[in-house]
């Protein structure tokens, strides 16, 4: 009998551990980021294209007009190289601890900086990026719908932008209830195809229109202050255009992984394909758009193009479809964060009712902010520098230095520090330009017009 008691006690202990892990397994199987792990490499390609080639591409000719030819090309190419490098780092770091996967950006941050500090450093920035993108995409979706309506039916009664943003949001009240990233892969594929399509239309239609009469390539602003602030704002626009890193670990989390076949191999293949598509979208749009219109180009290149009508209407519809997919990709990690807190910290049962309420409230919130502050250009610059620069340009480098500790003055050490310095400059300068742009726009703006 004496020997029996401890084993009983032991088995009870194991039961409680099993129960706890069973509950945790059930929660993980319910949460958006960890519920499905059977994505293929091409899922990662089009998820990355959808996350990266946002509507930001349409503001690149405008950014070029504020940067000028030389600095503009340098900033575009440097950004492409740096962000590809930091994306490679994140893909590598996803499974650097054997048997563990960092499925979320903040989990990697906690590993690099410690449990508490990692959360404080990463979560606010990631939330600003994802919620910021969702708000900007609400505005973009609404504006593109409005442009589509006005192009197709130019003698119809004008409809307020507010209503178009509401129409755009109504789609998300439905789509947001798809459970995880795998389930939105169809939406994401359509969005990726659309981004390539409207980018091609934007530069091909510009090229077809030809170089405008009296085209000027000097800086757009007439004053020195205007030029400097414009330059800062344009840096934010470029940072916004390269902002896919915030969801890269979450995308990689959907790929299956074994010690023999780690997820980084298919993920990296997808990233390379995505980055080739990014180059095919960004460089022609930025350079051809600026070349044709000079410093008269608008902050959305499609607005500068008015003819042929059917093509511009089609391009705007493509933007709407693409932004629907992008919104979902950026919203999914936010849903994951909110639902994790609700279920793990506040002990809500993981069920459909909770998900229904959380996601509808979130969509309504982004819609309300978008309707209230639809300053597209300024918002891009402000958010672009404030949060995109850290999470895209230098936070991965800081984590790499903290975790791998490369030898001082080695190539890896220098590369990371150069990226950190450039990223810090971007983070400090671009919000200044963006904020000034918002103030200028706000002077002439009427609420809910």
């Amino acid at each position: 009998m004496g020997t029996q008691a401890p084993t009983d006690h032991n088995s009870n202990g194991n039961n409680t551990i099993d129960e706890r892990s069973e509950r945790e397994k059930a929660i993980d199987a319910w949460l958006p980021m960890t519920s499905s792990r059977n994505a293929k490499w091409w899922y990662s390609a089009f998820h990355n294209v959808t996350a990266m080639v946002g509507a930001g591409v349409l503001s690149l000719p405008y950014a070029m007009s504020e940067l000028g030819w030389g600095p503009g090309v340098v900033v575009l190419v440097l950004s492409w190289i740096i962000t590809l490098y930091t994306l490679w780092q994140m893909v590598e770091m996803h499974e650097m601890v054997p048997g563990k996967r960092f499925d979320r950006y903040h989990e990697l941050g906690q590993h690099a900086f410690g449990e508490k500090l990692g959360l404080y450093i990463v979560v606010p920035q990631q939330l600003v990026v994802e919620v910021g993108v969702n708000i900007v995409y609400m505005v973009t979706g609404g504006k593109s719908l409005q442009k589509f309506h006005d192009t197709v039916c130019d003698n119809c009664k004008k409809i307020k932008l507010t209503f178009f943003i509401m129409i755009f949001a109504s789609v998300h009240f439905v789509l947001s209830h798809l459970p995880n990233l795998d389930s939105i892969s169809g939406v994401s594929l359509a969005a990726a195809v659309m981004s390539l399509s409207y980018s091609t239309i934007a530069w091909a239609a510009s090229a077809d229109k030809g170089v405008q009469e009296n085209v000027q390539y000097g800086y757009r602003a007439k004053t020195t202050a205007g030029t400097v602030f414009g330059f800062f704002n344009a840096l934010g626009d470029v940072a916004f255009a390269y902002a896919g890193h915030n969801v890269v670990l979450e995308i990689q989390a959907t790929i299956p992984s074994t010690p023999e076949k780690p997820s980084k191999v298919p993920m990296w293949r997808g990233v390379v394909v995505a980055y080739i598509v990014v180059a095919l979208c960004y460089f022609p749009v930025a350079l051809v758009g600026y070349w044709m219109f000079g410093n008269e180009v608008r902050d959305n290149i499609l607005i500068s193009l008015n003819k042929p009508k059917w093509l511009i209407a089609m391009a705007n519809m493509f933007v709407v479809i693409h932004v629907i997919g992008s919104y979902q990709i950026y919203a999914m990690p936010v849903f994951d964060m909110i639902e994790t807190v609700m279920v793990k910290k506040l002990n809500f049962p993981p069920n459909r009712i909770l998900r229904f309420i959380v996601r509808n409230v979130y969509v309504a919130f982004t819609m309300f902010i978008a309707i209230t502050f639809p300053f597209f250009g300024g918002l891009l610059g402000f958010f672009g520098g404030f949060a995109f620069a850290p999470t895209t340009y230098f936070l991965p480098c800081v984590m790499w230095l903290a975790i791998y500790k490369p030898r001082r003055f080695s190539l890896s050490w220098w590369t990371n520090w150069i990226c950190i310095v450039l990223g810090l400059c971007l983070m400090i300068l671009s919000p200044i330009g963006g904020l000034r742009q918002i103030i200028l726009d706000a002077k002439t703006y009427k609420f809910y017009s």
Side-chain angles (χ1 to χ4, degrees):
M1 274 301 281
T3 50
Q4 195 64 32
T7 46
D8 272 340
H9 170 75
N10 226 6
S11 63
N12 285 343
N14 283 344
N15 280 349
T16 53
I17 291 168
D18 281 358
E19 278 162 21
R20 193 182 68 82
S21 61
E22 284 305 314
R23 180 174 186 269
E24 290 203 339
K25 278 181 195 161
I27 289 173
D28 278 347
W30 181 77
L31 288 171
M33 288 308 149
T34 41
S35 58
S36 171
R37 295 222 196 254
N38 37 20
K40 306 283 183 280
W41 73 265
W42 52 88
Y43 283 32
S44 106
F46 50 73
H47 281 330
N48 273 301
V49 170
T50 305
M52 189 80 68
V53 187
V57 62
L58 299 174
S59 67
L60 288 177
Y62 182 83
M64 285 291 294
S65 73
E66 292 190 314
L67 293 166
W69 274 120
V73 173
V74 170
V75 168
L76 274 181
V77 175
L78 256 185
S79 287
W80 191 85
I81 295 167
I82 290 174
T83 54
L84 182 58
Y85 172 66
T86 54
L87 200 52
W88 169 79
Q89 288 181 314
M90 296 199 62
V91 172
E92 284 290 314
M93 288 191 284
H94 180 82
E95 283 176 295
M96 67 196 167
V97 178
K100 185 170 172 28
R101 297 181 69 173
F102 297 110
D103 294 326
R104 301 166 177 89
Y105 205 142
H106 65 84
E107 289 173 8
L108 184 59
Q110 286 174 293
H111 181 72
F113 309 121
E115 285 293 308
K116 279 257 169 74
L117 189 62
L119 275 181
Y120 291 145
I121 291 175
V122 177
V123 171
Q125 296 194 41
Q126 203 182 0
L127 276 176
V128 167
V129 171
E130 284 155 3
V131 179
V133 168
N134 283 157
I135 292 166
V136 170
Y137 282 172
M138 278 279 180
V139 177
T140 312
K143 281 194 170 173
S144 297
L145 275 175
Q146 188 179 39
K147 177 81 173 157
F148 174 79
H149 171 265
D150 294 351
T151 309
V152 172
C153 179
D154 47 7
N155 19 350
C156 294
K157 185 170 179 272
K158 292 277 180 265
I159 299 174
K160 283 180 178 181
L161 178 60
T162 302
F163 295 126
F164 284 109
I165 294 176
M166 285 177 176
I167 293 167
F168 180 76
S170 65
V171 178
H172 295 294
F173 282 115
V174 178
L175 281 184
S176 291
H177 299 292
L178 290 169
N180 52 34
L181 272 178
D182 269 5
S183 63
I184 58 171
S185 52
V187 180
S188 183
L189 175 61
V193 172
M194 291 303 147
S195 59
L196 194 55
S197 309
Y198 70 69
S199 300
T200 308
I201 290 175
W203 69 260
S206 300
D208 182 61
K209 203 163 185 177
V211 179
Q212 300 301 292
E213 281 180 29
N214 307 326
V215 71
Q216 290 177 336
Y217 298 114
Y219 288 110
R220 346 172 38 97
K222 301 290 176 272
T223 61
T224 314
T227 305
V228 172
F229 284 121
F231 191 93
F232 292 168
N233 190 43
L235 290 176
D237 284 357
V238 175
F240 181 87
Y242 285 101
H245 294 48
N246 291 279
V247 290
V248 70
L249 292 177
E250 286 81 352
I251 293 170
Q252 194 169 343
T254 62
I255 296 177
S257 186
T258 60
E260 300 76 46
K261 291 184 176 171
S263 64
K264 66 183 179 186
V265 179
M267 181 66 186
W268 180 241
R269 194 182 300 164
V271 167
V272 171
V273 171
Y275 255 72
I276 292 168
V277 175
V278 166
L280 290 175
C281 291
Y282 284 19
F283 296 120
V285 172
L287 303 176
V288 175
Y290 180 45
W291 184 25
M292 298 307 153
F293 295 102
N295 56 18
E296 291 300 304
V297 73
R298 303 283 290 276
D299 68 350
N300 177 339
I301 180 75
L302 292 180
I303 297 174
S304 296
L305 301 161
N306 293 320
K307 290 184 174 65
K309 263 189 180 177
W310 62 272
L311 190 67
I312 303 311
M314 196 164 76
N316 277 287
M317 215 57 222
F318 286 173
V319 174
V320 173
I321 295 168
H322 170 248
V323 174
I324 287 172
S326 276
Y327 182 98
Q328 287 302 320
I329 288 223
Y330 278 96
M332 206 51 88
V334 182
F335 297 153
D336 184 76
M337 278 188 211
I338 301 171
E339 287 166 15
T340 302
V341 171
M342 299 295 261
V343 174
K344 288 188 177 173
K345 293 272 188 293
L346 306 174
N347 291 325
F348 278 89
N351 57 24
R352 283 184 175 174
I353 298 166
L354 175 68
R355 188 161 271 178
F356 181 79
I357 294 168
V358 163
R359 297 188 176 192
N360 281 345
V361 167
Y362 178 76
V363 174
F365 167 76
T366 51
M367 176 185 78
F368 173 73
I369 301 292
I371 289 170
T372 312
F373 307 105
F375 319 126
F376 183 58
L379 281 175
L380 279 187
F382 186 67
F383 283 130
F386 190 58
F388 292 96
T391 50
T392 306
Y393 286 77
F394 69 85
L395 204 55
C397 298
V398 176
M399 290 181 188
W400 188 271
L401 290 173
I403 293 164
Y404 287 106
K405 300 185 172 58
R407 204 179 70 253
R408 268 195 158 192
F409 309 119
S410 62
L411 181 64
S412 169
W413 189 90
W414 275 114
T415 312
N416 285 303
W417 275 109
I418 290 168
C419 293
I420 290 169
V421 170
L422 291 173
L424 273 170
C425 294
L426 195 61
M427 175 184 156
I428 294 160
L429 299 177
S430 50
I432 301 170
L435 193 60
R436 178 176 178 271
Q437 193 58 47
I438 292 172
I439 292 165
L440 292 177
D441 289 347
K443 283 181 179 172
T444 55
Y445 176 68
K446 292 187 182 69
F447 274 106
Y448 307 115
S449 54

